[in-house]
Amino acid sequence: MAECTHDCGSCGENCSQRDMRKAPHELSKIKKVIGIVSGKGGVGKSLTTAMLAVLARRNGFNTAILDADITGPSIPKMFGIAEKATGTELGIFPVSSKKGIEIMSMNLLLEEDTDPVIWRGPVIAGAVLQFWTDVIWNDVDYMFVDMPPGTGDVPLSIYQSIPLDGIIIVTTPQDLVSMIVLKAAHMAQKMNVPILGIVENMSYVRCPDCGRKIEVFGSSRVDELAKQVGCKNIAQIPFDSSLTKCADNGLIELFEGDYLDSLFNAIEQA
């Protein structure tokens, strides 16, 4: 392949350096867009997305969540949202949480929350893009994008189409997970998207009797992982039954833990 001259007018549509970013809806106003990514599912990406959005809202920012995990959407349940998204000829309107966080998710369009989305990659990628281009987002200071796991077709489309200001990587202590998460980190680096922080979920459990930290999945690897990707901002989320209860009962906005406070401060300063 010929060397890229950065002249997008002369290269093919499949050029990896071509600027394919799309503008949001003409009535939307979005300042910063932060992607929450992982190399695999089940590590707590959606939980991290929800917690960061809640923190941003508590700090006085207008906040939104674009749930790009089309086949496994869990954001509405964590916020206790049962109503469906609506629209007019102008576009689609996101649903607001109790505290005023704007949310758009596939489950806000399905008749039943348990209905499966049996679509191939290009159709899923198109739906994510519509959440960006067809939804009328209000004056948003921080939009958090709950990315689908992995480094395949849909994450690639998001990187190419949505102007991400940075990403937060979510991992767990297991060595296998760290290896897979590095793939997501290297993908972001290849797409020239800065890594703003790393969250290690399920990092430990605190003994209810003596208060000692017990590392259920082995020693923490977040410092080592941060060094490998050149990131200084890290946070750890332990096993916390109160956090789980809030998420399961649609009350994530009531959780008071400070696990991600320092990380959000770093996002503000980026």
Side-chain angles (χ1 to χ4, degrees):
M1 185 171 65
E3 182 179 352
C4 180
T5 64
H6 300 288
D7 178 10
C8 292
S10 64
C11 67
E13 290 186 0
N14 61 345
C15 173
S16 63
Q17 301 297 324
R18 186 181 181 89
D19 189 352
M20 300 168 61
R21 289 176 295 181
K22 306 295 184 181
H25 193 285
E26 60 181 359
L27 297 179
S28 296
K29 185 177 181 183
I30 305 165
K31 295 177 183 176
K32 283 194 174 183
V33 184
I34 309 297
I36 315 300
V37 310
S38 67
K40 65 186 300 295
V43 298
K45 178 174 48 59
S46 296
L47 178 65
T48 300
T49 302
M51 292 174 69
L52 286 172
V54 170
L55 269 176
R57 187 60 182 151
R58 286 179 183 170
N59 280 273
F61 295 104
N62 293 332
T63 310
I65 297 176
L66 191 161
D67 188 356
D69 196 351
I70 299 296
T71 60
S74 55
I75 292 293
K77 180 174 175 58
M78 281 192 277
F79 284 87
I81 295 175
E83 62 184 291
K84 301 301 179 182
T86 59
T88 67
E89 66 278 0
L90 294 176
I92 306 168
F93 300 105
V95 176
S96 290
S97 71
K98 296 178 182 66
K99 301 294 184 180
I101 298 173
E102 291 189 343
I103 296 172
M104 190 63 219
S105 172
M106 193 66 203
N107 262 16
L108 302 180
L109 300 174
L110 298 175
E111 185 173 340
E112 297 291 340
D113 289 348
T114 55
D115 289 345
V117 178
I118 309 174
W119 295 346
R120 295 193 182 275
V123 181
I124 294 174
V128 174
L129 184 57
Q130 282 187 291
F131 285 177
W132 174 252
T133 60
D134 295 3
V135 173
I136 302 174
W137 302 97
N138 291 311
D139 189 6
V140 175
D141 295 310
Y142 286 97
M143 172 181 283
F144 296 95
V145 181
D146 184 4
M147 302 268 281
T151 57
D153 186 54
V154 181
L156 177 59
S157 295
I158 294 172
Y159 276 116
Q160 291 178 324
S161 301
I162 298 178
L164 297 174
D165 293 288
I167 64 163
I168 301 294
I169 298 172
V170 184
T171 184
T172 61
Q174 299 103 309
D175 188 38
L176 176 61
V177 174
S178 297
M179 180 272 292
I180 296 172
V181 165
L182 276 173
K183 293 179 182 289
H186 293 156
M187 181 181 188
Q189 291 169 338
K190 287 181 181 293
M191 301 302 295
N192 296 316
V193 176
I195 299 171
L196 303 180
I198 300 175
V199 175
E200 185 178 71
N201 189 31
M202 296 179 276
S203 185
Y204 60 89
V205 62
R206 194 172 291 280
C207 175
D209 295 323
C210 67
R212 182 173 65 93
K213 285 185 178 180
I214 303 172
E215 295 177 316
V216 179
F217 291 138
S219 299
S220 172
R221 298 179 181 275
V222 68
D223 290 321
E224 176 187 343
L225 188 60
K227 186 180 297 184
Q228 286 180 280
V229 301
C231 176
K232 296 181 179 179
N233 306 313
I234 62 174
Q236 293 174 297
I237 302 175
F239 288 93
D240 186 331
S241 59
S242 62
L243 174 57
T244 302
K245 185 176 181 180
C246 284
D248 285 347
N249 294 326
L251 301 172
I252 193 65
E253 290 172 296
L254 300 183
F255 181 69
E256 296 291 344
D258 60 356
Y259 304 131
L260 301 183
D261 286 10
S262 61
L263 185 61
F264 179 71
N265 291 337
I267 292 174
E268 281 189 273
Q269 297 166 13

